[in-house]
Amino acid sequence: MPTLTHCRDDFPILQRSVADGIPLAFLDNAASTQRPQSVINAITDCYERYYANVHRGIHTLSEESTTRYEKSRTSLARFVNAEHDHEIIYTAGATAAINTVARSWGNENVTANDTILLTIAEHHANIVPWQQLAASVGCRIEFLPLQDDFNIETDAVRSALERFQPKMFAFTAASNVLGTTFPVTEWTRLAHEHGSTVLIDAAQSAPHQVMDVQAWNADFVVFSGHKVCGPNGIGVLYGKEKLLEAMPPFLGGGGMIRRVTTDGFEPAELPDKFEAGTPPIVEAIALESAVEYVTAIGLDEIEKHEQRLATHADTGLRQIEGLRMIGPETRDRNGIVSFVLNHAHSHDVAHALDASGIAVRAGHHCTMPLHRALGTSATTRASFYFYNTMDEADRLIAAVAEVQKKFAPTGRKRQPRSSG
Amino acid sequence: MASEQDIYEEHVLDHYEDPYHRGPLNGATHAHEADNPLCGDQIHIDLKLTPDGKVVDAWFDGEGCVISQASASMLVETIEGKTLEELQQFSAQNMLALFGPKLTPNRQKCCLLSWRVLQSAIHSPLNPSDDELGGPSFSGPSLGEES
């Protein structure tokens, strides 16, 4: 069986142990991934050799920093297969990218009579900005529900598009809880047929699957740097040139203007128009290293490896009596496995797993509406990345079985409190 | 962070599986409930106070992690017979000490949920005419809410 285990040597943090010398099994990658040495080196290299502000100085360091910053944009354009480099806007993260679209495109194009269509599987970053838009312009928000098998069928998407005729259909390419991936190209085509603009939240797919925004024909695509082995504090907003050009700037400040007078300002061309202030310079340069790193491994290989690990974990965990898997049994799955135990709350599960050196996430994973629809307030989530191993998947299964046993009722009797 | 100390000590698990006064209290005079949105822990507390402000009966209900539910059981067990003044003086530190095992800041929130609910419950009469029972209003330490 092919393995990507050799990649582990590239990650200093994966060499550490936790909990009395037990090797760390880091299974919280959907929240944030770890960084290889090459990305850490890119950060220190910039600060040690050529860091200065970009687009401003005439001096050597500023020229070098600017060249590297723009080279990063070119690499990212290639990574997502954008037609033009200036369709790549650097933001503070995926959240900031969605806010940019909701505020700039939304305020310009959405009125009180319009509808925004979302899925119930969205994380808060793809819900709250639209709710803020609704509060401002009075539009409606509709959610595509989950079926009993945790899926959303394309037929349901089609009928929602017909029924609501939304102005915007914003959906995640891959759920951060359910382990499902959605047919992005097909949904986008359907949305366009119904006159809707499309935003794809690729935060959980960009790190794991080949991305082709032109094949998707998406209008907007967003993702974060820190989930794809890059630094935090940077994200990408991809937008079709025509749409970005028609949008007003979102944040105002230096860098995003052509000219400022006491009477007003003239915005700069793309991409500067959406990059007010000093941009995430080092972060962009290190993000280029990160996408080069994962591209060198091969996103197809990464996806297959994660699917093997997650399928193995899913199969093993389902054998545990009293465990409810939150996700479909047969699916186009990603590396995410979420579950609830009848004998233990997810925080107790995560706490107990931590004692075995296993890092998982517990709670609602920034998807409170989804958890409400699932009838639970919290789940435990293991999320794999290419540097995880089959051994770690086995450790997870064994530790969860142990936790279920530990918290099972055994007829305990509380000792009456001694007085005094 | 993994710790050597097991926070799930025997008496904690005992309270979790065999809680003290879990359920509704008929004839409650005061009640309050709250949750920790971050993890979904919920606690409801019913109190029966005498006109001069003494706890005759205290019950809790809720759902959530072992820490939140076991600590609520310990709390209602310990406050019966106490005066309002004693409840107001019962600090967050006292609550953590009552629970026992040392908790990380995130898990302290689980443990302090029932304590917060109690501090609100004593100012939440079910019949408004019972108000102004307790003299000075509570002004103890407040806990930052998670976003």
Side-chain angles (χ1 to χ4, degrees):
Chain A
M1 182 182 291
T3 167
L4 297 176
T5 309
H6 60 277
C7 299
R8 290 181 73 83
D9 297 341
D10 298 332
F11 289 78
I13 204 168
L14 297 181
Q15 314 309 317
R16 72 165 283 184
S17 57
V18 290
D20 302 329
I22 306 168
L24 166 69
F26 188 78
L27 306 182
D28 191 20
N29 295 290
S32 198
T33 56
Q34 301 297 346
R35 282 121 206 86
Q37 191 66 55
S38 60
V39 171
I40 298 168
N41 288 349
I43 294 167
T44 50
D45 184 53
C46 176
Y47 280 132
E48 284 175 4
R49 296 199 308 111
Y50 62 90
Y51 175 81
N53 210 334
V54 294
H55 298 148
R56 288 157 171 76
I58 302 298
H59 55 79
T60 307
L61 298 192
S62 181
E63 296 286 8
E64 279 186 34
S65 280
T66 304
T67 304
R68 292 296 303 269
Y69 181 70
E70 290 305 325
K71 179 168 158 290
S72 162
R73 195 189 309 277
T74 304
S75 294
L76 265 292
R78 213 171 304 137
F79 181 66
V80 306
N81 193 32
E83 191 179 352
H84 307 290
D85 290 1
H86 58 250
E87 292 174 322
I88 300 296
I89 311 291
Y90 283 136
T91 63
T95 299
I98 297 175
N99 275 278
T100 302
V101 177
R103 301 296 177 85
S104 170
W105 178 89
N107 271 327
E108 195 76 357
N109 294 281
V110 180
T111 66
N113 299 323
D114 291 325
T115 299
I116 306 290
L117 181 63
L118 309 173
T119 82
I120 195 71
E122 303 310 312
H123 64 152
H124 297 160
N126 200 24
I127 297 175
V128 178
W130 304 112
Q131 290 175 331
Q132 289 176 300
L133 176 66
S136 146
V137 305
C139 64
R140 284 170 14 128
I141 297 177
E142 296 289 345
F143 289 89
L144 276 160
L146 219 53
Q147 298 157 181
D148 289 343
D149 65 355
F150 303 98
N151 246 316
I152 298 174
E153 291 294 339
T154 297
D155 278 346
V157 175
R158 186 183 291 111
S159 51
L161 288 165
E162 268 163 26
R163 184 171 159 210
F164 300 118
Q165 299 289 324
K167 197 82 178 224
M168 165 64 83
F169 179 27
F171 63 92
T172 183
S175 163
N176 72 332
V177 175
L178 304 168
T180 42
T181 56
F182 296 124
V184 171
T185 310
E186 200 177 351
W187 286 11
T188 303
R189 182 179 56 76
L190 282 173
H192 285 159
E193 280 174 17
H194 289 82
S196 176
T197 302
V198 173
L199 180 143
I200 296 169
D201 176 356
Q204 295 295 344
S205 71
H208 312 287
Q209 296 170 291
V210 176
M211 197 167 169
D212 186 337
V213 296
Q214 290 188 75
W216 291 359
N217 196 19
D219 299 307
F220 299 105
V221 179
V222 307
F223 63 96
S224 305
H226 69 94
K227 287 187 166 75
V228 55
C229 295
N232 53 17
I234 189 166
V236 171
L237 164 61
Y238 159 84
K240 281 182 183 163
E241 183 187 50
K242 267 193 182 154
L243 287 165
L244 290 175
E245 274 180 347
M247 283 158 58
F250 172 43
L251 297 175
M256 52 70 73
I257 43 86
R258 183 204 301 275
R259 195 191 327 272
V260 181
T261 67
T262 51
D263 294 328
F265 73 95
E266 231 178 275
E269 301 285 319
L270 291 176
D272 299 354
K273 182 166 103 175
F274 291 105
E275 294 185 358
T278 295
I281 302 164
V282 183
E283 289 78 4
I285 291 164
L287 179 57
E288 180 189 16
S289 290
V291 300
E292 277 173 357
Y293 182 87
V294 296
T295 305
I297 296 170
L299 281 149
D300 282 331
E301 280 308 305
I302 288 174
E303 187 181 11
K304 274 187 234 152
H305 179 74
E306 292 167 4
Q307 285 172 339
R308 273 195 300 273
L309 295 181
T311 303
H312 181 75
D314 183 296
T315 308
L317 288 170
R318 279 181 201 270
Q319 309 303 314
I320 298 170
E321 215 184 311
L323 181 144
R324 176 187 170 211
M325 197 58 83
I326 304 294
E329 209 154 346
T330 54
R331 53 188 162 184
D332 296 321
R333 68 163 316 134
N334 59 20
I336 290 172
V337 180
S338 297
F339 58 88
V340 291
L341 294 179
N342 62 344
H343 294 325
H345 185 272
S346 71
H347 272 203
D348 296 317
V349 178
H351 199 106
L353 292 183
D354 184 50
S356 306
I358 303 169
V360 294
R361 174 92 179 253
H364 54 60
H365 322 302
C366 294
T367 57
M368 289 175 97
L370 174 63
H371 276 74
R372 177 170 283 248
L374 293 167
T376 178
S377 61
T379 55
T380 306
R381 177 185 73 188
S383 50
F384 295 95
Y385 208 14
F386 58 84
Y387 43 61
N388 291 122
T389 65
M390 212 43 112
D391 177 56
E392 289 175 326
D394 281 330
R395 278 173 64 192
L396 171 74
I397 298 165
V400 173
E402 198 57 39
V403 171
Q404 174 74 332
K405 219 164 77 188
K406 172 174 176 147
F407 291 107
T410 56
R412 288 172 173 278
K413 287 289 166 218
R414 174 177 36 84
Q415 300 298 310
R417 207 166 68 89
S418 53
S419 56
Chain B
M1 190 185 71
S3 69
E4 286 175 27
Q5 188 187 15
D6 187 2
I7 61 169
Y8 304 107
E9 287 180 357
E10 291 301 314
H11 85 283
V12 174
L13 292 175
D14 289 349
H15 269 275
Y16 181 63
E17 190 176 337
D18 180 27
Y20 180 81
H21 281 190
R22 183 187 190 115
L25 168 59
N26 285 329
T29 60
H30 290 65
H32 190 70
E33 66 182 40
D35 63 359
N36 272 335
L38 188 69
C39 50
D41 292 341
Q42 291 172 3
I43 292 289
H44 177 101
I45 289 181
D46 281 333
L47 300 174
K48 189 186 230 167
L49 301 184
T50 60
D52 61 344
K54 200 165 185 177
V55 181
V56 187
D57 221 350
W59 286 66
F60 84 100
D61 212 342
E63 56 182 77
C65 69
V66 170
I67 310 303
S68 68
Q69 303 305 303
S71 59
S73 168
M74 293 176 200
L75 180 65
V76 292
E77 183 185 43
T78 207
I79 62 173
E80 287 187 350
K82 291 219 176 347
T83 65
L84 216 51
E85 196 175 51
E86 286 172 315
L87 293 190
Q88 287 170 347
Q89 282 168 358
F90 189 76
S91 68
Q93 290 311 318
N94 294 142
M95 181 70 215
L96 293 170
L98 171 70
F99 178 75
K102 199 171 179 322
L103 296 169
T104 57
N106 269 334
R107 299 313 297 274
Q108 286 181 11
K109 288 179 191 164
C110 308
C111 178
L112 292 174
L113 175 60
S114 54
W115 174 82
R116 278 201 289 135
V117 171
L118 172 69
Q119 297 298 348
S120 297
I122 58 182
H123 298 292
S124 307
L126 291 170
N127 181 349
S129 65
D130 292 347
D131 209 350
E132 302 311 321
L133 229 185
S137 68
F138 172 67
S139 59
S142 66
L143 288 175
E145 292 292 320
E146 59 269 52
S147 56

